[in-house]
Amino acid sequence: MSAPGIRWRAAPGLRLCRWPGEESCACFHAPSGDLHLLEAAAGRLLAWLLEDGPQPAASLARRLEADFAAEPGLDVAAWTEACLQRLARLHLVHRLPG
Amino acid sequence: MRVPLLLQVLRGSRDPRACSAAEWGRLVQQARRAGLLAELARRLEGAEADLPEGARHALRWARAAKARQDQLLRWELQCLLEALAPLGIPVGLLKGAAYLAAGFAFARGRLFHDIDLLVPAAALQRVERALFVAGYVQVDADPYDQRYYREWMHELPPLQHARRGTLVDVHHGLAPPTSRYAFPAERLFPAMVPLEGTDLPLVPRRLGDEDLVLHAALHLYTESEFRHGLRDLLDLCGLLGEMERRRAEFGGRLVARARALGLARPLYLALRHAAWLLGDARAGALAARLEADAPWAVGVYDACFGRALLPAHPDCEDAFSGLARGLLYVRGHWLRMPLRLLVPHLARKAWRGMKAERTP
Amino acid sequence: MADALAFRVGPWTVRLHTPLPEVRRTAAFLYRDYPRPGPEAFVDYEIALLPGRGGRRWWRPQVRFLFEGQEPFAPLTRAQAYPFFEWGLNWCLAHHTADYLVLHAAVLERDGRALVLPGPPGAGKSTLCAALALSGWRLLTDELGLLSPADGCFHPLPRPVSLKNAAIDVIRRFSSAAALGPSCHDTHKGTVAHLRVPAGAVAALERPARPGRIVFPRFVPGLAGLRAGRLERARALVQLAEQAFNLALLGEAGFEALCALVDGTEALTLEYGDLAPALAWLERAHP
C-alpha cells in the first residue's frame, strides 16, 4: 500500500480511446510507440488522471466505488493499488512524491 | 569520376529546387543511402512547394522518420539512465545521442542508429550488470567475438534491449588500447560538459568542445566501414560551426588539444576531406594549420577516402570504389591491433563470411 | 541491360530493371494496364532483380533483389524470382511512407464504401479478395491498405493478387475472367501465382474510398456454414494495429486514424469453410 502522501500521474504522451458500453479500451503511449488493450476500470483510472491531474490512490478508489457496482467482497482500494502498479510497469503512470 | 548530385547539393554548388524530376529521383536515392534524406529535408524546410510530388513525399517520410527516431532515442535514454542512476557514476553520451541531448542545431537532420555511452573503466562491470537487469543483453553470443571485444576493444560487445531491440554501445575509451591513437580516457572526464535541462533521470555529460570534434575525426578515420561516412563528415562540419560560434579562437585550442592527445593526424585528414568533398571553408582553414601533421602519402588517402566516403549508391561508384573500401577495411583493423593479432582475426572473419555465404 | 519497366502503382512510380526473361514477361503481363511514366518522371522505387553472383549464376542459380542498389534481403532461388519482386516491392512500399498508415489488409470498394479485410497470411483474405475482385467489387489492394490520416479514406494501391496453393485452382474455377500469371513452384510459401487486377480497378487508381466495414476473416477448412461475430471497437483497434507496418512512425496521428476508422465502422469476424456463402454474406453485410 502506498504512503498517503503519494500521488499518481499519467505519463506524458498518452492517448486513450474509450467507447461507452464497451468492456475494453485502447491506450497509446507515444514515446515508446506501444499500444495497450486495457479493461474498462483501468481505462477509467487513466482517464481521471489525464483529465483531472495527479491524485492519490485513495481518491481514485473512492471514485471507482461510486461508478462501478463492484463484486461483493472486492477490496476496491487494494485493487486500485494493484492496478496502478501494473500500469506503472507499462510506463503508463508514475508516482509523484508528496 | 563526376561529382555525385548529392555532393553538389550539400556543397551548395547546385540548387536542388532547380533539379528536374528525374534528377530528384537520383538525389533522393543517394541521400537515403547516405542516411542524409532528413538532412536534405531540414535544408529545404519551407521551400519545397515547387518540388516534384514524389520528392515531397520522400522528404515528408524522412521528417517523420527523424521525429520518430528522436522520440525513440529520448525514450531509450530515459530507460537507460533510469537503470544507471543508482550507480552514482558519471555517464557520458557520445556521437548522435550527445548531439541530440545537447540540442545542437545541425543534428536536427541526422538519423542515428544506436546509443553510445562512455563510462569510467572501473565501473564497467557494475554498468553491465545494471543494464542486464534492465533488459539489455548481448547481441552476439559468439565466444570469439566476446573475447575479441573484452580483450582488445575500448567498448563492451554491443548490447540490445531484449524487447525494444535498441542497440547500445558502452565505451570506456575512444580508441582501442592497442591502437596507435590510444590515450587514457581519464583525460576526457575533467573536460566533460553536463547536459542540463533534458528532464532525464540523471544529468548526462558530453565530451568537452575540442574532444567532441576530435572524437568525430578519430571515429571517421579509424573505422573499417564507411556506410555513413558522409554523414559523419557533415557532423564534423556541424560541430566546428557550433563550437566556433560559442568560442572565439576555438581553432587554436582544437589544434593544441589534438597535438596533446596525439590525434593531429586523424583531425588533419578529417578537415582536409571536409574541405575537399563538402567545400567547408572553416575546415580548410584549420587543415592548413595542421599541414605539418599530414601523412606522407596523402594522395593515397585522398584516392581511398574520396571514394569510400561517398554514398553506397551505383551513381557514386567507379571501378576503384571496391578496392578503396577493401583497403580502408584492412587499414581500420590495422590501426586497431598489432599485426600478430590482425592477421588471424581477419582470416577468421573471412572464413566465417564464406561459411555464411554457403549456408543460406 | 534490357530496358527498365516503369509503371504507376497508386500514388507512386516503380521502375524495375531486370535481365531475367521470366520476370520481364510476367511483369509485362500482370502490369499490362498500368500507366507508364516516361524516362523523365520522378521514380519513387527503383528496383532491380539480378542473377546470383559468381558460381551462383550456373550452379543452383539464385536471384537478388536490389532496392536503390542495396540488398535488403538474402538472395532466393531462381524459381522464386517473380514472387520475390512482389514481396520485396511490398516491403519497400510499406516502409517508406508517412502519408498513410499501411495496414496488412485487402481493401475492396462497392457503392462508394470500402470493405476492409485485415489479416495475417493464411487467414484466407487473398482468396476472398480475388473472388470479390472478380465479382464486381473494385480492388483497392490485396495486401497493403493505405489509410490516410488526412481524409480517413483508403487510397488505392492495386497490385497483382498473390494466390497460394489450392487457392490458385479455386480462383481459376471461380471465374473464366481470371487472368493468372505463371505458377511458381517451390517457393517458401508453396506454389504461388498472381491474378492480374481487372482493368477497371487499375483505371480508378486515384479514387479513394470511405471505410464501410471491417471484417476479420478466418478460413476454417471443413466448416459447414459461417460463424460471424461482432468485435468490440477497442479490440478491433488493437488487432488492426497489429497489422500495421508503420504505426510507430506515424505515432499519434496513426493512432488517431485507427480510432476514427473503428469509430465510424462496424468490425466483424467471419469464419468460413466455403467461398460461395462467405461471398454472399459479405454482399449482404455491406453497408
Side-chain angles (χ1 to χ4, degrees):
Chain A
M1 190 99 329
S2 50
I6 289 187
R7 290 179 310 150
W8 292 84
R9 171 182 84 128
L14 269 196
R15 284 279 293 104
L16 201 59
C17 247
R18 303 186 300 150
W19 285 274
E22 294 208 345
E23 281 171 19
S24 349
C25 66
C27 174
F28 184 65
H29 182 230
S32 63
D34 290 337
L35 179 63
H36 305 275
L37 186 67
L38 302 172
E39 74 276 15
R44 195 72 66 100
L45 291 186
L46 274 181
W48 288 328
L49 290 175
L50 281 169
E51 287 156 19
D52 306 329
Q55 297 167 51
S59 80
L60 291 167
R62 271 196 303 279
R63 292 175 77 170
L64 268 186
E65 236 163 346
D67 268 34
F68 278 86
E71 292 167 43
L74 178 75
D75 180 348
V76 178
W79 186 91
T80 306
E81 182 67 28
C83 183
L84 287 167
Q85 303 280 2
R86 185 162 54 90
L87 295 174
R89 278 195 298 276
L90 297 173
H91 302 284
L92 303 179
V93 297
H94 301 292
R95 270 170 223 271
L96 283 179
Chain B
M1 192 178 1
R2 64 195 150 82
V3 179
L5 196 51
L6 175 65
L7 220 51
Q8 296 179 29
V9 167
L10 291 174
R11 279 180 191 173
S13 62
R14 185 76 189 270
D15 183 354
R17 286 166 303 177
C19 286
S20 71
E23 283 174 322
W24 256 106
R26 295 208 329 265
L27 189 54
V28 166
Q29 290 174 34
Q30 293 175 11
R32 185 147 44 207
R33 266 309 129 231
L36 289 171
L37 196 52
E39 170 65 10
L40 214 52
R42 179 181 77 89
R43 293 183 181 209
L44 285 163
E45 186 95 63
E48 45 199 278
D50 298 326
L51 301 187
E53 167 49 29
R56 282 164 43 214
H57 171 254
L59 295 176
R60 286 194 294 273
W61 172 78
R63 257 185 218 117
K66 167 67 181 157
R68 172 61 193 150
Q69 198 177 22
D70 284 0
Q71 191 181 42
L72 208 60
L73 192 61
R74 283 209 179 81
W75 177 244
E76 203 61 44
L77 279 179
Q78 177 86 29
C79 299
L80 261 174
L81 298 182
E82 228 166 71
L84 295 180
L87 302 186
I89 54 163
V91 177
L93 303 179
L94 299 175
K95 299 188 262 187
Y99 308 157
L100 181 83
F104 291 151
F106 76 88
R108 285 202 310 257
R110 290 299 194 283
L111 287 173
F112 304 110
H113 296 283
D114 30 16
I115 297 185
D116 298 275
L117 301 180
L118 178 69
V119 298
L124 216 49
Q125 268 197 340
R126 287 192 296 148
V127 167
E128 195 175 4
R129 210 172 312 126
L131 291 181
F132 179 76
V133 170
Y136 297 89
V137 295
Q138 303 290 343
V139 176
D140 186 355
D142 182 82
Y144 177 81
D145 286 345
Q146 288 281 332
R147 228 191 60 209
Y148 168 70
Y149 271 100
R150 286 175 199 277
E151 278 182 27
W152 306 113
M153 294 302 285
H154 53 302
E155 57 190 309
L156 289 176
L159 299 173
Q160 186 168 36
H161 193 272
R163 198 174 62 81
R164 296 190 292 274
T166 352
L167 287 167
V168 178
D169 288 328
V170 180
H171 301 248
H172 51 87
L174 298 190
T178 51
S179 148
R180 81 182 51 168
Y181 296 119
F183 61 88
E186 291 81 71
R187 298 181 65 179
L188 299 169
F189 281 94
M192 283 170 87
V193 180
L195 296 166
E196 310 278 359
T198 53
D199 203 23
L200 290 165
L202 68 85
V203 177
R205 302 164 196 221
R206 65 161 170 87
L207 293 176
D209 295 356
E210 296 83 24
D211 296 348
L212 212 49
V213 178
L214 288 173
H215 182 218
L218 180 66
H219 175 68
L220 193 53
Y221 281 84
T222 52
E223 272 301 289
S224 302
E225 281 161 67
F226 296 88
R227 219 152 46 89
H228 294 116
L230 200 58
R231 184 199 69 187
D232 293 346
L233 206 57
L234 270 177
D235 282 350
L236 186 101
C237 298
L239 284 172
L240 278 181
E242 187 78 37
M243 295 313 162
E244 288 204 340
R245 259 195 308 283
R246 283 163 192 237
R247 212 184 245 167
E249 219 350 58
F250 173 73
R253 302 170 60 105
L254 177 64
V255 168
R257 180 76 167 169
R259 291 200 169 126
L261 293 180
L263 299 177
R265 178 176 292 186
L267 178 63
Y268 170 76
L269 286 172
L271 294 169
R272 177 183 173 90
H273 291 155
W276 172 42
L277 292 173
L278 295 169
D280 191 285
R282 210 179 271 124
L286 273 171
R289 293 165 72 167
L290 281 161
E291 223 39 85
D293 299 280
W296 62 270
V298 75
V300 178
Y301 285 86
D302 291 351
C304 289
F305 282 105
R307 290 184 169 84
L309 291 174
L310 298 184
H313 185 272
D315 285 358
C316 311
E317 312 216 312
D318 67 8
F320 300 103
S321 297
L323 178 66
R325 291 205 167 96
L327 285 174
L328 292 179
Y329 178 79
V330 175
R331 174 183 175 270
H333 281 89
W334 157 252
L335 288 174
R336 259 182 246 157
M337 37 171 54
L339 199 60
R340 70 184 166 78
L341 299 172
L342 175 65
V343 172
H345 176 68
L346 288 184
R348 193 188 155 95
K349 285 189 85 147
W351 169 243
R352 280 207 313 199
M354 265 156 52
K355 276 203 298 191
E357 177 110 341
R358 265 189 286 146
T359 43
Chain C
M1 194 190 288
D3 287 346
L5 173 74
F7 49 90
R8 187 106 185 124
V9 285
W12 303 304
T13 296
V14 174
R15 188 154 61 190
L16 169 64
H17 307 256
T18 181
L20 308 179
E22 77 275 22
V23 175
R24 298 179 63 83
R25 260 197 317 274
T26 308
F29 172 79
L30 292 170
Y31 289 96
R32 187 191 67 184
D33 304 317
Y34 288 67
R36 294 285 165 79
E40 279 314 303
F42 178 91
V43 176
D44 298 87
Y45 300 97
E46 199 87 64
I47 311 285
L49 245 75
L50 303 178
R53 272 197 281 236
R56 276 322 191 43
R57 278 167 184 275
W58 296 281
W59 179 70
R60 286 201 223 152
Q62 286 187 325
V63 59
R64 299 184 294 136
F65 180 100
L66 283 84
F67 168 52
E68 297 181 345
Q70 298 284 302
E71 282 185 70
F73 317 104
L76 292 182
T77 56
R78 175 77 180 258
Q80 310 187 60
Y82 189 76
F84 196 13
F85 165 60
E86 293 283 343
W87 296 328
L89 182 55
N90 277 345
W91 177 87
C92 294
L93 299 175
H95 289 99
H96 295 94
T97 185
D99 287 16
Y100 306 98
L101 185 67
V102 185
L103 296 172
H104 196 194
V107 182
L108 300 109
E109 175 260 348
R110 229 194 46 194
D111 306 327
R113 303 300 290 275
L115 165 67
V116 185
L117 302 166
K125 74 178 158 46
S126 290
T127 320
L128 277 180
C129 168
L132 289 165
L134 291 163
S135 322
W137 292 66
R138 172 167 71 104
L139 178 73
L140 276 84
T141 179
D142 81 311
E143 290 260 24
L144 304 176
L146 302 183
L147 176 62
S148 159
D151 62 12
C153 288
F154 279 93
H155 288 242
L157 181 65
R159 303 257 313 286
V161 183
S162 159
L163 297 168
K164 279 141 240 150
N165 304 318
I168 300 170
D169 278 331
V170 169
I171 294 303
R172 223 190 281 278
R173 280 197 303 272
F174 179 80
S175 164
S176 58
L180 285 157
S183 292
C184 298
H185 306 285
D186 301 320
T187 77
H188 65 273
K189 297 182 178 180
T191 299
V192 172
H194 290 85
L195 171 75
R196 180 162 69 201
V197 177
V202 177
L205 220 47
E206 306 206 346
R207 205 170 77 227
R210 186 150 295 288
R213 177 142 302 166
I214 305 164
V215 178
F216 290 86
R218 200 162 77 88
F219 177 66
V220 183
L223 177 71
L226 301 167
R227 275 201 296 259
R230 259 206 74 229
L231 205 56
E232 264 199 344
R233 289 197 149 84
R235 280 183 193 280
L237 190 152
V238 171
Q239 288 189 22
L240 281 164
E242 282 165 8
Q243 301 300 324
F245 290 95
N246 58 350
L247 178 60
L249 179 73
L250 269 69
E252 280 164 303
F255 179 71
E256 306 266 340
L258 281 181
C259 285
L261 173 63
V262 296
D263 208 36
T265 49
E266 201 179 17
L268 304 167
T269 58
L270 176 69
E271 294 182 325
Y272 73 101
D274 229 346
L275 194 54
L279 293 177
W281 185 88
L282 287 169
E283 298 271 351
R284 275 201 313 278
H286 198 59

